[in-house]
Amino acid sequence: SLSLIEDISQIRNDDTFSDFQIRLLENEKEIVFKAHKNILAARSGFFKDYFQQNSNNSFTFSRDRIRKEHVDKALEFIYTGSIKDYDDV
């Protein structure tokens, strides 16, 4: 039997029930991360506030300093409570 953290980590990798997209514009290319509003809101004050003020189903980062690896590691932390291989970022 899996732990709650392992279950939530598996949900992150299965976009069957995802209801939100985080979009990143990197070098004029759009990268899309699928996510779950309930998990983002429960684990992040930023997203909780965002969802209370917006009914959008996506959020776009368009800053040059934010890379795919940054968003991926932030989502890893939100979904699992830890970050593996942080030095890779």
Side-chain angles (χ1 to χ4, degrees):
S1 125
L2 297 176
S3 72
L4 179 60
I5 293 295
E6 290 169 323
D7 287 338
I8 292 173
S9 180
Q10 286 185 349
I11 289 171
R12 177 179 178 225
N13 297 320
D14 179 3
D15 62 5
T16 303
F17 299 107
S18 67
D19 57 356
F20 189 71
Q21 294 182 348
I22 299 173
R23 299 173 179 273
L24 172 65
L25 301 176
E26 184 178 72
N27 299 324
E28 299 182 19
K29 178 182 174 189
E30 184 178 67
I31 301 167
V32 177
F33 298 86
K34 294 189 176 182
H36 307 82
K37 285 182 178 182
N38 55 350
I39 293 174
L40 294 176
R43 302 274 298 146
S44 167
F46 170 82
F47 282 110
K48 182 177 181 179
D49 291 343
Y50 180 81
F51 296 141
Q52 288 174 336
Q53 297 173 18
N54 298 281
S55 61
N56 300 343
N57 288 327
S58 68
F59 179 84
T60 302
F61 286 104
S62 59
R63 294 194 156 164
D64 293 333
R65 298 184 315 235
I66 299 174
R67 298 190 332 245
K68 176 183 183 265
E69 294 82 10
H70 298 145
V71 177
D72 190 53
K73 292 298 180 185
L75 287 173
E76 179 181 344
F77 183 77
I78 288 170
Y79 277 79
T80 68
S82 64
I83 299 174
K84 296 178 185 173
D85 303 321
Y86 181 75
D87 294 334
D88 294 345
V89 177

